[in-house]
Amino acid sequence: MASDLWERLQSRAVQIHVADHLRARIQSGEMLRVKLGLDPTAPDLHVGHLVVLDVLRAFQDRGHTVVAIIGDFTALIGDPSGRSDTRPVLTPQQVDANAKTYFDQIFKILDPARTEIHGNSEWLASMGAAEVLGLLGKQTLQAVLQRDDFSRRIKAGNPIGAHEILYPFNQGYDSVAVRADLEIGGSDQLFNLMFGREVQRGYGQAPQDVAVFPLLEGTDGVRKMSKSLDNSIGLMEAPDQVYGKTMSIPDPLTPTYLKLISGLEPESIQAALQGGPREAKAALARALVGRLWGGAEVAPAEEAFDARYRRREIRAEELAEHRPADPADLVGTLVELGWYPTRSQARRVVEQGGVSLDGIRAGLEARLTEGTVLRAGKRNYVRIGVG
């Protein structure tokens, strides 16, 4: 079991520091504290996060302790990783609202009973000035400014906020506070994770090992997955949306997605790939819907996709058009159409998943747009006109 964990880790990681040391610890059966930091700068996680969450679950399944750090304090600073400018400063209220959403999302993959969760405000918010100065004394300013993000901004003449210098120190102190043996993250986090080793040394702790993993490209096949880039598949999106978005990814991405986030065994991945590009992508879509929402949701999600895109059951141009009084009021539109007598009944149908837009289940917050096919039940269809 220890050897297969190491092989899984090695086959997926972009870099491991220090590989020989970590391999020896895993193979000796030592129980490790494995840390993952998540800054709640947005309310939703996406399937790109499954890359590291799957690794954490593999450690859990072999008895190791997973320590998830919700960066409710560091999110107020903003991680400069991958940035060409200073992140907007979030309010404590925004951070708190985002952080509350993370637990339901990470527990789609992690075992709550074997997950230790902390907000780093537990130790960072109470630091006095002397303690902050002591932390800053554990590394040099030159070491911080060597990070690529800062050096590029200096060369480009873009400003670096003084508060941003604190970020790697604070994240490094997280490792001190929880006595991390291993920290994992995306490849864009390598500097922060390695910096944490030095902060631990400064406090007399053995430095954590570090493993970083590839950043998943988004559904556009070009940029890393991000909700702000509109190329993500959210962990909390409805099953039919997960299925449909997965089927939209470029074919060359399918093998990578299957390997990193499908949760399928290598034999099943190989079988899916041998079935051709479409079958491989469908196997991936079924796997993701099943992982996130359970097996009972797979068939309805696939049926909705096939009805819309394969059998072409609905031809928008042949449908009657309706121009809603308020395109942002889905419930009101359903009542306008006469499909339901009251708003409360219409709302209940939406909440139960009985309303779709272009074959994708609609939520209460859905906005109606030009040309969208609105469907409720089996027989109610209309094409939306706006303006």
Side-chain angles (χ1 to χ4, degrees):
M1 291 290 283
S3 61
D4 74 308
L5 176 59
W6 171 251
E7 289 169 6
R8 179 189 183 96
L9 192 68
Q10 190 178 39
S11 68
R12 296 180 178 220
V14 175
Q15 293 186 54
I16 299 175
H17 300 269
V18 179
D20 289 343
H21 183 252
L22 179 57
R23 181 176 62 246
R25 299 179 83 181
I26 291 174
Q27 293 180 345
S28 72
E30 179 183 351
M31 291 294 100
L32 304 178
R33 293 176 59 76
V34 187
K35 173 195 168 194
L36 173 71
L38 294 165
D39 268 359
T41 51
D44 300 313
L45 300 178
H46 51 66
V47 298
H49 292 98
L50 294 179
V51 177
V52 291
L53 290 175
D54 274 353
V55 173
L56 289 177
R57 182 57 192 252
F59 272 94
Q60 281 186 327
D61 289 343
R62 291 155 180 84
H64 300 277
T65 299
V66 165
V67 185
I69 307 294
I70 306 299
D72 55 347
F73 187 88
T74 45
L76 298 173
I77 302 171
D79 185 0
S81 299
R83 299 286 297 188
S84 59
D85 54 9
T86 301
R87 285 186 184 272
V89 176
L90 300 179
T91 67
Q93 292 75 23
Q94 288 173 309
V95 170
D96 185 58
N98 292 344
K100 283 181 168 60
T101 70
Y102 276 29
F103 301 111
D104 288 340
Q105 296 177 73
I106 65 175
F107 289 146
K108 282 180 174 286
I109 306 301
L110 300 183
D111 180 354
R114 292 180 284 177
T115 305
E116 187 179 309
I117 291 185
H118 299 275
N120 59 13
S121 62
E122 292 176 28
W123 45 82
L124 294 176
S126 61
M127 275 190 166
E131 292 172 297
V132 172
L133 289 174
L135 172 58
L136 292 174
K138 304 302 181 186
Q139 258 293 3
T140 66
L141 181 60
Q142 290 92 328
V144 178
L145 295 179
Q146 282 175 4
R147 69 179 302 158
D148 290 342
D149 316 284
F150 286 162
S151 61
R152 284 195 298 267
R153 282 156 68 177
I154 291 171
K155 289 177 183 176
N158 294 332
I160 299 172
H163 68 291
E164 294 181 88
I165 304 299
L166 287 171
Y167 189 91
F169 286 96
N170 284 341
Q171 183 169 316
Y173 191 80
D174 291 348
S175 295
V176 174
V178 301
R179 305 193 72 87
D181 297 307
L182 167 65
E183 183 168 10
I184 71 171
S187 56
D188 61 338
Q189 291 294 308
L190 180 60
F191 178 91
N192 290 332
L193 274 55
M194 294 297 288
F195 199 89
R197 287 170 54 85
E198 302 308 313
V199 174
Q200 283 181 302
R201 280 196 179 100
Y203 282 92
Q205 289 186 11
Q208 63 190 11
D209 291 312
V210 164
V212 293
F213 297 83
L215 300 177
L216 203 66
E217 292 170 307
T219 54
D220 58 2
V222 178
R223 298 166 295 181
K224 76 173 184 177
M225 187 172 287
S226 169
K227 185 178 181 182
S228 63
L229 297 175
D230 196 27
N231 68 352
S232 65
I233 304 171
L235 296 188
M236 299 301 287
E237 290 194 62
D240 42 9
Q241 292 176 311
V242 172
Y243 193 99
K245 285 188 175 184
T246 302
M247 293 299 291
S248 76
I249 68 172
D251 289 349
L253 285 185
T254 306
T256 299
Y257 274 49
L258 280 167
K259 175 183 177 183
L260 293 178
I261 64 171
S262 70
L264 297 174
E265 295 298 323
E267 300 78 13
S268 299
I269 292 174
Q270 189 59 36
L273 292 172
Q274 288 174 349
R278 194 203 176 280
E279 177 50 38
K281 205 178 296 183
L284 171 64
R286 289 191 292 268
L288 286 177
V289 172
R291 296 194 74 190
L292 299 177
W293 293 105
E297 295 288 347
V298 173
E302 189 163 36
E303 170 63 20
F305 180 85
D306 287 348
R308 182 184 178 198
Y309 291 105
R310 298 189 76 187
R311 297 198 298 272
R312 304 287 182 183
E313 290 180 354
I314 304 169
R315 297 180 63 84
E317 64 272 14
E318 296 175 357
L319 297 177
E321 182 179 88
H322 176 76
R323 294 182 177 272
D326 181 1
D329 184 8
L330 174 60
V331 169
T333 300
L334 295 173
V335 175
E336 280 176 30
L337 287 161
W339 293 351
Y340 302 101
T342 65
R343 287 185 65 91
S344 60
Q345 186 175 345
R347 173 183 290 272
R348 187 161 54 249
V349 173
V350 174
E351 290 174 336
Q352 292 171 348
V355 177
S356 66
L357 294 171
D358 285 343
I360 296 176
R361 183 182 298 176
L364 292 170
E365 75 289 349
R367 184 179 182 87
L368 302 171
T369 57
E370 181 74 34
T372 297
V373 174
L374 171 63
R375 174 179 178 174
K378 293 183 178 180
R379 296 182 176 84
N380 295 321
Y381 298 90
V382 75
R383 176 165 50 88
I384 296 298
V386 177

